[in-house]
Amino acid sequence: MNVGIDLIHFSTSDYYLGLDVFAKEKHIDVDKYFVGIGQEKMSIAPPDEDVVSLAAKAAAPILQQIDKNQISAVLFATESGVDQSKSAGAFLHGLLKLSPRCRVVEFKHACYAGAAALQMATAMVRANPKEKILVVAADIAKYDVDTSGEATQGCGAVAMLVTANPRIIAIEPGSGYHTEDVMDFWRPNQRTTALVDGKYSTKVYLNSLKQAWQHFTEETGRTFGDINHFCYHIPFTKMAEKAHHTLAKVAGVKLTEDEFRAQTWPSQIYNRIVGNSYSASLFVGFCSLLDNLKENLENRRVSFFSYGSGCVAEFFTGLIQPGYQQVLMSASHQRQIDSRQPLTYAQYLAFYHQVDDNVENITFERHNKGPYRLAGIQDHKRYYEAQ
Ligand code: HMG
């Protein structure tokens, strides 16, 4: 029985900061961003947007296509959770009016949580093919102002319906993984912004890729040549390019420039203009591949490399299903990206400083133009509203 992603939809915020504007503000050559790290824009969340509203915006179009009472579990992956106890999935469950006959849990391990939730969902469906599981990965990447990480912020959410006989991609059993207790990127409980040892984090990412790949080949017997398209966790697109060079080298494969580009470029297009969305980023890359590669991908094998700092990594593959194009929501993705409003650096800073999760009571001015928003906080309780 095939198990995998039956429907997929991503969301991002209504605002972005151009890295050209950012570079001008910081008196830095813009090519450091456009070329050096391969990023052009970062989606910026206004104060009334959080991972719950982003997740609801990602999931709603999927629920419109199915009987939502059949959702048997919500697995919510995030590292920018809104509560230390209550899962972001419970807020989402309420906002989307899902059936009480549903289990909800939050997954966390940095950017790896999305892949972990997807793998858990596929295992649950293999055990009971009646299950229909909503996996949502949602994050807002936030670093301190004037740090090396500031240019690699962004936000987004990806919702995936995981079922038997999926219409988009069947996730193949067998994967390679690697875990190591390291401090390359972390966010202590009292902080709203992440701390990072940037250069070290890129080294750990590449080493984890090598280790996970080695394990993957031992577990599955598959080779580099068995894979048609490669999706990587994309904190910035240059990282995915470095990853692909590393993987080709480890696998002993020499690629022409055209082959290299065809294997990786389509999965980077959205991430280049959305920025890092942590746990969602790998799947934003997958949406980018599905939407932007103007070839028929039926029966092709796609690989997924998930990396979560700290660190846990996993390499796995899937087979694109016949007829997948009929259920893609590419127009909605493009519309969201195209309708974002540019911010000046001062406007970005105003949004940046207004978000304070410690506040006891606040009513948010409406900036979020999406279908769901964080309306306010009263007595430390978050209130959302649907339009
Ligand atoms: P930096 O110090 O700002 O930049 O840090 P740099 O000086 O290293 O320059 C970056 C690149 O631009 C270099 O290329 C420069 O040569 C080039 P490289 O040597 O890397 O190939 N460059 C230029 N190119 C053309 N024209 C120019 C020019 N100037 C410079 N004028 C860093 C960069 C990525 C470290 C920083 O942005 C950072 O700390 N980011 C956050 C951490 C991060 O994203 N790490 C990635 C791996 S860890 C990960 O993916 C997990 C994560 O998503 C979190 C999670 O798991 O939850 C982060």
Side-chain angles (χ1 to χ4, degrees):
M1 179 187 58
N2 280 340
V3 174
I5 302 171
D6 187 57
L7 290 171
I8 188 166
H9 182 250
F10 105 87
S11 70
T12 192
S13 64
D14 299 309
Y15 301 89
Y16 73 86
L17 180 64
L19 284 166
D20 49 350
V21 172
F22 182 86
K24 207 167 171 195
E25 173 72 27
K26 309 278 176 181
H27 307 290
I28 291 175
D29 180 0
V30 69
D31 279 350
K32 171 170 175 180
Y33 304 114
F34 283 13
V35 180
I37 62 167
Q39 289 300 119
E40 281 177 38
K41 294 173 181 173
M42 1 185 224
S43 281
I44 301 294
D48 57 339
E49 183 92 270
D50 67 7
V51 289
V52 173
S53 59
L54 278 170
K57 180 154 64 159
I62 291 182
L63 300 185
Q64 280 162 12
Q65 299 184 38
I66 58 164
D67 173 4
K68 66 183 181 183
N69 290 323
Q70 290 180 349
I71 302 280
S72 51
V74 176
L75 308 187
F76 195 122
T78 186
E79 59 178 295
S80 23
V82 296
D83 194 286
Q84 293 281 29
S85 172
K86 181 171 170 174
S87 120
F91 288 104
L92 180 69
H93 180 278
L95 210 45
L96 297 176
K97 300 188 169 51
L98 298 180
S99 160
R101 291 208 169 159
C102 177
R103 295 145 293 175
V104 176
V105 71
E106 186 169 307
F107 276 57
K108 184 179 79 178
H109 182 93
C111 305
Y112 172 64
L118 175 62
Q119 289 289 16
M120 173 71 87
T122 58
M124 288 167 76
V125 176
R126 282 193 188 107
N128 176 5
K130 281 198 315 206
E131 297 252 17
K132 288 191 192 304
I133 300 182
L134 182 64
V135 172
V136 190
D139 267 307
I140 297 173
K142 201 168 173 187
Y143 296 88
D144 283 347
V145 170
D146 290 332
T147 61
S148 70
E150 191 187 4
T152 61
Q153 299 178 111
C155 67
V158 177
M160 297 172 267
L161 185 69
V162 176
T163 65
N165 306 315
R167 286 173 286 177
I168 294 181
I169 188 168
I171 300 297
E172 296 180 291
S175 67
Y177 28 88
H178 174 75
T179 290
E180 203 179 335
D181 179 5
V182 290
M183 294 300 279
D184 62 328
F185 167 105
W186 64 106
R187 182 163 71 83
N189 283 340
Q190 72 279 10
R191 291 185 64 99
T192 52
T193 51
L195 297 167
V196 66
D197 187 343
K199 297 264 162 41
Y200 176 56
S201 72
T202 62
K203 290 194 176 79
V204 187
Y205 177 118
L206 294 178
N207 180 54
S208 301
L209 170 63
K210 288 183 201 164
Q211 303 303 329
W213 169 254
Q214 180 64 34
H215 187 208
F216 171 80
T217 57
E218 288 165 20
E219 283 294 305
T220 64
R222 289 191 199 108
T223 64
F224 190 96
D226 294 328
I227 301 167
N228 304 100
H229 302 279
F230 296 74
C231 293
Y232 293 95
H233 165 56
I234 308 182
F236 48 92
T237 63
K238 196 64 171 293
M239 191 73 237
E241 292 194 4
K242 286 185 181 186
H244 200 53
H245 277 299
T246 301
L247 194 66
K249 198 169 164 199
V250 168
V253 174
K254 280 206 166 28
L255 296 171
T256 63
E257 234 172 77
D258 284 352
E259 285 167 335
F260 186 90
R261 203 177 151 81
Q263 288 175 358
T264 59
W265 177 250
S267 64
Q268 296 175 18
I269 292 169
Y270 288 162
N271 303 66
R272 193 176 167 87
I273 49 178
V274 166
N276 198 352
S277 54
Y278 293 159
S279 63
S281 149
L282 171 63
F283 305 103
V284 173
F286 181 50
C287 289
S288 181
L289 170 70
L290 294 170
D291 294 352
N292 292 301
L293 189 71
K294 303 295 174 217
E295 291 168 27
N296 191 338
L297 290 171
E298 284 177 9
N299 303 315
R300 291 201 194 167
R301 179 170 282 123
V302 176
S303 71
F304 297 84
F305 174 66
S306 173
Y307 175 75
S309 283
C311 72
V312 184
E314 183 160 353
F315 195 102
F316 58 98
T317 54
L319 287 176
I320 302 282
Q321 297 300 289
Y324 75 98
Q325 282 159 316
Q326 287 157 30
V327 293
L328 296 184
M329 293 186 243
S330 318
S332 167
H333 299 158
Q334 204 57 57
R335 200 167 41 246
Q336 287 183 66
I337 287 174
D338 293 346
S339 59
R340 286 178 306 169
Q341 195 177 313
L343 297 173
T344 62
Y345 190 79
Q347 286 169 324
Y348 144 75
L349 272 192
F351 279 174
Y352 181 103
H353 289 298
Q354 260 182 58
V355 178
D356 177 5
D357 290 338
N358 292 320
V359 73
E360 193 177 330
N361 288 296
I362 189 167
T363 303
F364 289 110
E365 200 184 317
R366 182 180 286 278
H367 295 286
N368 177 347
K369 301 169 196 157
Y372 304 93
R373 67 184 283 269
L374 174 65
I377 299 174
Q378 276 168 30
D379 302 327
H380 291 292
K381 294 176 194 158
R382 298 172 93 81
Y383 289 92
Y384 294 89
E385 60 186 28
Q387 265 185 8

